[in-house]
């Protein structure tokens, strides 16, 4: 049994079409980790790109780095909430979004929500992502 299998139970109601690229729900056991919204700048708070996909990848890398400080990995994430300023750009580039996501998080797909917002606090930001993870308890 893998750590993920021991940690999570994915919730899929009988008869429902399977979720694609996200989970409908997850039951998890362990220590919760709550991350504030992360954006597409580097650790020095400098944007290296104005491109949505580049910012998504950087945002996910930021989440991965913060998780590592708690001994957690992307596969411990149980929920992501995405805020984007341009839904049309996001949906038009779903293939690239998926590629950027998988390059950082692999094939782990937690519960996710995507919301279009009018703006983000940092004017240059095109995406902000909040994360919740559950770190397995030491055996």
């Amino acid at each position: 049994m893998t750590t993920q299998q021991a940690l999570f139970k994915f919730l899929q109601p009988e008869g429902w079409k399977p979720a694609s690229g996200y989970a409908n729900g997850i039951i998890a056991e362990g220590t919760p980790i709550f991350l504030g919204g992360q954006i597409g700048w580097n650790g020095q708070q400098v944007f290296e790109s104005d491109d949505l996909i580049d910012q998504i990848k950087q945002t996910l890398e930021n989440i991965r780095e913060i998780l590592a400080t708690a001994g957690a990995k992307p596969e411990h994430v149980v929920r992501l909430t995405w805020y984007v300023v341009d839904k049309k750009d996001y949906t038009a580039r779903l293939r690239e979004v998926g590629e950027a996501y998988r390059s950082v998080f692999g094939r782990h797909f937690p519960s996710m929500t995507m919301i279009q917002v009018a703006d983000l606090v940092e004017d240059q930001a095109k995406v902000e992502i909040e994360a919740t993870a559950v770190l397995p308890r030491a055996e």
Side-chain angles (χ1 to χ4, degrees):
M1 183 177 285
T2 67
T3 301
Q4 183 173 332
Q5 290 170 329
L7 176 66
F8 299 138
K9 177 181 177 189
F10 289 86
L11 305 176
Q12 178 64 31
E14 188 174 327
W16 280 32
K17 182 178 177 181
S20 179
Y22 65 96
N24 286 307
I26 298 174
I27 294 174
E29 294 182 24
T31 303
I33 303 168
F34 304 95
L35 278 62
Q38 298 300 307
I39 58 177
W41 59 19
N42 63 28
Q44 302 307 307
Q45 300 180 350
V46 173
F47 287 94
E48 296 176 7
S49 175
D50 285 325
D51 179 68
L52 173 65
I53 303 305
D54 292 341
Q55 287 195 18
I56 287 172
K57 186 171 181 183
Q58 180 66 58
T59 301
L60 294 168
E61 288 171 352
N62 294 345
I63 290 169
R64 182 178 61 194
E65 282 193 49
I66 295 167
L67 289 172
T69 65
K73 300 177 182 176
E75 60 261 29
H76 297 126
V77 172
V78 296
R79 181 169 185 77
L80 294 172
T81 303
W82 299 53
Y83 303 92
V84 298
V85 295
D86 187 344
K87 180 182 88 169
K88 288 182 181 178
D89 189 18
Y90 176 90
T91 57
R93 301 178 72 189
L94 281 176
R95 181 178 304 270
E96 294 171 89
V97 169
E99 290 169 0
Y101 178 90
R102 288 186 304 277
S103 74
V104 180
F105 270 52
R107 294 193 112 8
H108 172 66
F109 303 108
S111 299
M112 290 191 227
T113 299
M114 193 279 289
I115 303 163
Q116 179 176 312
V117 294
D119 213 349
L120 295 167
V121 172
E122 293 296 327
D123 290 335
Q124 201 172 345
K126 300 196 182 287
V127 63
E128 183 167 337
I129 304 175
E130 294 176 334
T132 303
V134 177
L135 186 62
R137 290 185 176 93
E139 305 268 331

